Amino acid sequence: MRRLYRQCAAQDHRGRYAENAVNGQVADAECTAEMLLQFAFLASLYAEKINGVVKPRVGLVNNGTEDTKGDPLRKEAYALLKKAGDEGRLNFVGNVEGSMVPLGACDVAVCDGFTGNVQLKTIEGVAKFMSKEIKGVFMASVGTKLGYLLCKKGMDDFREVFNQDKIGGAPFLGIAKPVIKAHGSSNEIAVMNAVRQAIAYTKSGMIDAVKENIQYMTVSE
């Protein structure tokens, strides 16, 4: 799409307090502050149009919540995002630490591709670790096994929170046609849901919304 330097991918995180936290990231590990600004706009529009979030809270993933935190890239990006927030273009809530993202500190977590990939894989790893440990607790004795039977429905529901097949894939934002990136190990259920995502994305008005807001996504020389 014209004037966008990169297209970002919208990853849906599943968290206890936030059903969907959209992670605006790009495949490239190296980004400029202007790219991060674009990711914020694109993911915010996605959260609004696809997830139905009113005035999505946009956070910048950083190593602290203070506005002075971060490397030069994060500081420059913070200034651009704050300016967009002051102008009423984004609902910018400031810096967020990685631990705050799955707990619902923001609806949109803005980061570069390297940070986003590490964040996503860490969440996946912790979820698998917790699942394994909880299973070990329930299998420890006859009593705990009986206890598991009493709360099996709840445990099944908990497991579904981390079921990536329900998502199907991540849409690439900022291009003129719907493109969904699915995992290489996707099964038939995941592919089906990826197709559903493409249909929903097409009908949502997301592409037109990006065109209408594209003039706010670049930095004046």
Side-chain angles (χ1 to χ4, degrees), residues 13 18 21 23 42 47 52 55 57 80 83 85 91 109 125 129 139 141 149 171 173-174 188 213 217:
H13 293 310
N23 182 310
L42 293 171
K55 296 187 66 176
R57 298 163 300 154
L80 294 177
K83 181 175 182 293
N91 183 16
F129 170 78
M139 297 299 291
S141 67
L149 293 177
L173 310 180
E188 63 275 12
N213 288 274
M217 302 185 197

PDB file of all heavy atoms in Angstrom, residues 13 18 21 23 42 47 52 55 57 80 83 85 91 109 125 129 139 141 149 171 173-174 188 213 217:
ATOM      1  N   HIS A  13      -2.509 -12.560  20.973  1.00  0.00           N
ATOM      2  CA  HIS A  13      -2.085 -13.245  22.191  1.00  0.00           C
ATOM      3  C   HIS A  13      -3.313 -13.557  23.015  1.00  0.00           C
ATOM      4  O   HIS A  13      -4.234 -12.755  23.096  1.00  0.00           O
ATOM      5  CB  HIS A  13      -1.162 -12.339  23.032  1.00  0.00           C
ATOM      6  CG  HIS A  13       0.137 -12.064  22.387  1.00  0.00           C
ATOM      7  ND1 HIS A  13       0.936 -13.057  21.867  1.00  0.00           N
ATOM      8  CD2 HIS A  13       0.796 -10.906  22.159  1.00  0.00           C
ATOM      9  CE1 HIS A  13       2.035 -12.516  21.374  1.00  0.00           C
ATOM     10  NE2 HIS A  13       1.966 -11.218  21.525  1.00  0.00           N
ATOM     11  N   ALA A  18      -6.988 -10.231  29.133  1.00  0.00           N
ATOM     12  CA  ALA A  18      -7.269  -9.631  27.822  1.00  0.00           C
ATOM     13  C   ALA A  18      -7.444 -10.755  26.819  1.00  0.00           C
ATOM     14  O   ALA A  18      -6.523 -11.502  26.547  1.00  0.00           O
ATOM     15  CB  ALA A  18      -6.118  -8.718  27.390  1.00  0.00           C
ATOM     16  N   ALA A  21      -4.698  -9.530  22.647  1.00  0.00           N
ATOM     17  CA  ALA A  21      -3.756  -8.420  22.619  1.00  0.00           C
ATOM     18  C   ALA A  21      -3.057  -8.479  21.277  1.00  0.00           C
ATOM     19  O   ALA A  21      -2.320  -9.410  20.996  1.00  0.00           O
ATOM     20  CB  ALA A  21      -2.748  -8.527  23.759  1.00  0.00           C
ATOM     21  N   ASN A  23      -0.418  -7.822  18.620  1.00  0.00           N
ATOM     22  CA  ASN A  23       0.989  -7.486  18.615  1.00  0.00           C
ATOM     23  C   ASN A  23       1.360  -6.997  17.224  1.00  0.00           C
ATOM     24  O   ASN A  23       1.418  -7.768  16.287  1.00  0.00           O
ATOM     25  CB  ASN A  23       1.798  -8.743  18.987  1.00  0.00           C
ATOM     26  CG  ASN A  23       3.282  -8.488  19.068  1.00  0.00           C
ATOM     27  OD1 ASN A  23       3.866  -7.927  18.160  1.00  0.00           O
ATOM     28  ND2 ASN A  23       3.891  -8.926  20.140  1.00  0.00           N
ATOM     29  N   LEU A  42      -1.773   0.548  12.266  1.00  0.00           N
ATOM     30  CA  LEU A  42      -2.324  -0.633  11.602  1.00  0.00           C
ATOM     31  C   LEU A  42      -2.950  -1.599  12.607  1.00  0.00           C
ATOM     32  O   LEU A  42      -4.073  -2.080  12.415  1.00  0.00           O
ATOM     33  CB  LEU A  42      -1.227  -1.343  10.805  1.00  0.00           C
ATOM     34  CG  LEU A  42      -0.680  -0.579   9.588  1.00  0.00           C
ATOM     35  CD1 LEU A  42       0.551  -1.293   9.038  1.00  0.00           C
ATOM     36  CD2 LEU A  42      -1.736  -0.448   8.506  1.00  0.00           C
ATOM     37  N   ALA A  47      -7.531  -3.989  15.701  1.00  0.00           N
ATOM     38  CA  ALA A  47      -8.222  -4.272  16.960  1.00  0.00           C
ATOM     39  C   ALA A  47      -9.636  -3.714  16.945  1.00  0.00           C
ATOM     40  O   ALA A  47     -10.574  -4.324  17.472  1.00  0.00           O
ATOM     41  CB  ALA A  47      -7.435  -3.680  18.131  1.00  0.00           C
ATOM     42  N   GLY A  52     -13.352  -5.632  17.429  1.00  0.00           N
ATOM     43  CA  GLY A  52     -14.443  -4.849  18.004  1.00  0.00           C
ATOM     44  C   GLY A  52     -14.071  -4.069  19.246  1.00  0.00           C
ATOM     45  O   GLY A  52     -14.936  -3.729  20.065  1.00  0.00           O
ATOM     46  N   LYS A  55     -11.645   2.271  20.856  1.00  0.00           N
ATOM     47  CA  LYS A  55     -10.466   3.025  21.250  1.00  0.00           C
ATOM     48  C   LYS A  55      -9.386   2.116  21.836  1.00  0.00           C
ATOM     49  O   LYS A  55      -9.068   2.186  23.027  1.00  0.00           O
ATOM     50  CB  LYS A  55     -10.831   4.124  22.247  1.00  0.00           C
ATOM     51  CG  LYS A  55     -11.750   5.192  21.697  1.00  0.00           C
ATOM     52  CD  LYS A  55     -11.921   6.324  22.671  1.00  0.00           C
ATOM     53  CE  LYS A  55     -10.629   7.082  22.885  1.00  0.00           C
ATOM     54  NZ  LYS A  55     -10.809   8.270  23.783  1.00  0.00           N
ATOM     55  N   ARG A  57      -6.253   0.461  23.360  1.00  0.00           N
ATOM     56  CA  ARG A  57      -5.117   1.010  24.098  1.00  0.00           C
ATOM     57  C   ARG A  57      -3.820   0.534  23.463  1.00  0.00           C
ATOM     58  O   ARG A  57      -3.589  -0.665  23.363  1.00  0.00           O
ATOM     59  CB  ARG A  57      -5.179   0.572  25.561  1.00  0.00           C
ATOM     60  CG  ARG A  57      -6.399   1.058  26.323  1.00  0.00           C
ATOM     61  CD  ARG A  57      -6.591   0.245  27.590  1.00  0.00           C
ATOM     62  NE  ARG A  57      -6.786  -1.162  27.259  1.00  0.00           N
ATOM     63  CZ  ARG A  57      -6.481  -2.166  28.086  1.00  0.00           C
ATOM     64  NH1 ARG A  57      -5.946  -1.927  29.270  1.00  0.00           N
ATOM     65  NH2 ARG A  57      -6.689  -3.421  27.715  1.00  0.00           N
ATOM     66  N   LEU A  80       6.842   9.827  18.938  1.00  0.00           N
ATOM     67  CA  LEU A  80       5.898   9.814  17.815  1.00  0.00           C
ATOM     68  C   LEU A  80       4.530   9.297  18.244  1.00  0.00           C
ATOM     69  O   LEU A  80       3.494   9.838  17.856  1.00  0.00           O
ATOM     70  CB  LEU A  80       6.447   8.955  16.676  1.00  0.00           C
ATOM     71  CG  LEU A  80       7.702   9.448  15.971  1.00  0.00           C
ATOM     72  CD1 LEU A  80       8.147   8.440  14.910  1.00  0.00           C
ATOM     73  CD2 LEU A  80       7.465  10.818  15.327  1.00  0.00           C
ATOM     74  N   LYS A  83       2.756  11.881  20.414  1.00  0.00           N
ATOM     75  CA  LYS A  83       2.233  12.957  19.580  1.00  0.00           C
ATOM     76  C   LYS A  83       0.926  12.521  18.916  1.00  0.00           C
ATOM     77  O   LYS A  83      -0.056  13.280  18.887  1.00  0.00           O
ATOM     78  CB  LYS A  83       3.256  13.344  18.515  1.00  0.00           C
ATOM     79  CG  LYS A  83       2.827  14.481  17.589  1.00  0.00           C
ATOM     80  CD  LYS A  83       3.965  14.867  16.656  1.00  0.00           C
ATOM     81  CE  LYS A  83       3.579  16.037  15.764  1.00  0.00           C
ATOM     82  NZ  LYS A  83       2.516  15.687  14.801  1.00  0.00           N
ATOM     83  N   GLY A  85      -1.062  10.310  20.032  1.00  0.00           N
ATOM     84  CA  GLY A  85      -2.056  10.230  21.104  1.00  0.00           C
ATOM     85  C   GLY A  85      -2.595  11.590  21.482  1.00  0.00           C
ATOM     86  O   GLY A  85      -3.808  11.754  21.681  1.00  0.00           O
ATOM     87  N   ASN A  91      -4.939   5.888  20.914  1.00  0.00           N
ATOM     88  CA  ASN A  91      -5.137   5.868  22.363  1.00  0.00           C
ATOM     89  C   ASN A  91      -3.868   5.291  22.997  1.00  0.00           C
ATOM     90  O   ASN A  91      -3.836   4.142  23.426  1.00  0.00           O
ATOM     91  CB  ASN A  91      -6.367   5.026  22.714  1.00  0.00           C
ATOM     92  CG  ASN A  91      -6.653   5.026  24.205  1.00  0.00           C
ATOM     93  OD1 ASN A  91      -6.149   5.856  24.955  1.00  0.00           O
ATOM     94  ND2 ASN A  91      -7.464   4.082  24.645  1.00  0.00           N
ATOM     95  N   ALA A 109       0.165  -4.104  21.385  1.00  0.00           N
ATOM     96  CA  ALA A 109       1.543  -4.046  21.863  1.00  0.00           C
ATOM     97  C   ALA A 109       2.456  -3.838  20.657  1.00  0.00           C
ATOM     98  O   ALA A 109       2.578  -4.710  19.804  1.00  0.00           O
ATOM     99  CB  ALA A 109       1.904  -5.333  22.593  1.00  0.00           C
ATOM    100  N   GLY A 125       6.048 -20.829  25.243  1.00  0.00           N
ATOM    101  CA  GLY A 125       6.849 -21.728  26.068  1.00  0.00           C
ATOM    102  C   GLY A 125       6.359 -21.793  27.501  1.00  0.00           C
ATOM    103  O   GLY A 125       6.294 -22.879  28.098  1.00  0.00           O
ATOM    104  N   PHE A 129       4.971 -25.023  29.522  1.00  0.00           N
ATOM    105  CA  PHE A 129       5.587 -25.379  30.797  1.00  0.00           C
ATOM    106  C   PHE A 129       4.543 -25.509  31.898  1.00  0.00           C
ATOM    107  O   PHE A 129       4.534 -26.484  32.666  1.00  0.00           O
ATOM    108  CB  PHE A 129       6.633 -24.328  31.180  1.00  0.00           C
ATOM    109  CG  PHE A 129       7.142 -24.473  32.590  1.00  0.00           C
ATOM    110  CD1 PHE A 129       8.085 -25.440  32.909  1.00  0.00           C
ATOM    111  CD2 PHE A 129       6.671 -23.643  33.593  1.00  0.00           C
ATOM    112  CE1 PHE A 129       8.550 -25.576  34.207  1.00  0.00           C
ATOM    113  CE2 PHE A 129       7.128 -23.774  34.902  1.00  0.00           C
ATOM    114  CZ  PHE A 129       8.067 -24.744  35.211  1.00  0.00           C
ATOM    115  N   MET A 139      -1.281 -35.762  38.470  1.00  0.00           N
ATOM    116  CA  MET A 139      -0.937 -37.179  38.323  1.00  0.00           C
ATOM    117  C   MET A 139      -0.122 -37.705  39.508  1.00  0.00           C
ATOM    118  O   MET A 139       0.318 -38.853  39.508  1.00  0.00           O
ATOM    119  CB  MET A 139      -0.140 -37.388  37.029  1.00  0.00           C
ATOM    120  CG  MET A 139      -0.899 -37.054  35.757  1.00  0.00           C
ATOM    121  SD  MET A 139      -2.375 -38.073  35.530  1.00  0.00           S
ATOM    122  CE  MET A 139      -1.606 -39.668  35.200  1.00  0.00           C
ATOM    123  N   SER A 141      -0.904 -38.446  42.666  1.00  0.00           N
ATOM    124  CA  SER A 141      -1.473 -39.467  43.547  1.00  0.00           C
ATOM    125  C   SER A 141      -2.902 -39.779  43.129  1.00  0.00           C
ATOM    126  O   SER A 141      -3.474 -39.104  42.262  1.00  0.00           O
ATOM    127  CB  SER A 141      -1.461 -38.979  45.000  1.00  0.00           C
ATOM    128  OG  SER A 141      -2.358 -37.883  45.161  1.00  0.00           O
ATOM    129  N   LEU A 149     -10.603 -35.078  38.000  1.00  0.00           N
ATOM    130  CA  LEU A 149     -11.901 -35.431  37.408  1.00  0.00           C
ATOM    131  C   LEU A 149     -12.974 -34.414  37.772  1.00  0.00           C
ATOM    132  O   LEU A 149     -13.872 -34.136  36.991  1.00  0.00           O
ATOM    133  CB  LEU A 149     -12.317 -36.834  37.870  1.00  0.00           C
ATOM    134  CG  LEU A 149     -11.447 -37.986  37.361  1.00  0.00           C
ATOM    135  CD1 LEU A 149     -11.923 -39.306  37.961  1.00  0.00           C
ATOM    136  CD2 LEU A 149     -11.483 -38.063  35.833  1.00  0.00           C
ATOM    137  N   PRO A 171      -2.976 -11.966   9.982  1.00  0.00           N
ATOM    138  CA  PRO A 171      -3.076 -11.188   8.748  1.00  0.00           C
ATOM    139  C   PRO A 171      -1.925 -10.202   8.604  1.00  0.00           C
ATOM    140  O   PRO A 171      -1.456  -9.634   9.593  1.00  0.00           O
ATOM    141  CB  PRO A 171      -4.409 -10.443   8.915  1.00  0.00           C
ATOM    142  CG  PRO A 171      -4.573 -10.311  10.385  1.00  0.00           C
ATOM    143  CD  PRO A 171      -3.975 -11.551  10.980  1.00  0.00           C
ATOM    144  N   LEU A 173      -0.915  -6.656   7.662  1.00  0.00           N
ATOM    145  CA  LEU A 173      -1.636  -5.390   7.617  1.00  0.00           C
ATOM    146  C   LEU A 173      -0.906  -4.374   6.756  1.00  0.00           C
ATOM    147  O   LEU A 173       0.323  -4.325   6.737  1.00  0.00           O
ATOM    148  CB  LEU A 173      -1.792  -4.829   9.036  1.00  0.00           C
ATOM    149  CG  LEU A 173      -2.342  -5.794  10.093  1.00  0.00           C
ATOM    150  CD1 LEU A 173      -2.438  -5.095  11.440  1.00  0.00           C
ATOM    151  CD2 LEU A 173      -3.684  -6.352   9.671  1.00  0.00           C
ATOM    152  N   GLY A 174      -1.669  -3.569   6.044  1.00  0.00           N
ATOM    153  CA  GLY A 174      -1.068  -2.498   5.256  1.00  0.00           C
ATOM    154  C   GLY A 174      -0.890  -2.817   3.791  1.00  0.00           C
ATOM    155  O   GLY A 174      -0.220  -2.080   3.064  1.00  0.00           O
ATOM    156  N   GLU A 188      -5.866 -29.047   9.613  1.00  0.00           N
ATOM    157  CA  GLU A 188      -7.018 -28.631   8.810  1.00  0.00           C
ATOM    158  C   GLU A 188      -7.911 -27.631   9.535  1.00  0.00           C
ATOM    159  O   GLU A 188      -8.518 -26.744   8.913  1.00  0.00           O
ATOM    160  CB  GLU A 188      -7.835 -29.859   8.381  1.00  0.00           C
ATOM    161  CG  GLU A 188      -8.462 -30.666   9.519  1.00  0.00           C
ATOM    162  CD  GLU A 188      -7.515 -31.691  10.107  1.00  0.00           C
ATOM    163  OE1 GLU A 188      -6.298 -31.627   9.799  1.00  0.00           O
ATOM    164  OE2 GLU A 188      -7.988 -32.554  10.860  1.00  0.00           O
ATOM    165  N   ASN A 213      -6.445   6.582   6.729  1.00  0.00           N
ATOM    166  CA  ASN A 213      -5.574   7.076   7.800  1.00  0.00           C
ATOM    167  C   ASN A 213      -4.103   7.084   7.437  1.00  0.00           C
ATOM    168  O   ASN A 213      -3.264   7.426   8.276  1.00  0.00           O
ATOM    169  CB  ASN A 213      -5.771   6.215   9.060  1.00  0.00           C
ATOM    170  CG  ASN A 213      -7.097   6.451   9.738  1.00  0.00           C
ATOM    171  OD1 ASN A 213      -7.244   7.357  10.549  1.00  0.00           O
ATOM    172  ND2 ASN A 213      -8.079   5.640   9.399  1.00  0.00           N
ATOM    173  N   MET A 217       0.406   8.264   9.160  1.00  0.00           N
ATOM    174  CA  MET A 217       1.358   7.214   9.503  1.00  0.00           C
ATOM    175  C   MET A 217       2.783   7.507   9.081  1.00  0.00           C
ATOM    176  O   MET A 217       3.657   6.655   9.213  1.00  0.00           O
ATOM    177  CB  MET A 217       0.918   5.878   8.873  1.00  0.00           C
ATOM    178  CG  MET A 217      -0.451   5.414   9.289  1.00  0.00           C
ATOM    179  SD  MET A 217      -0.816   3.765   8.622  1.00  0.00           S
ATOM    180  CE  MET A 217      -2.603   3.719   8.805  1.00  0.00           C
TER     181      MET A 217
END
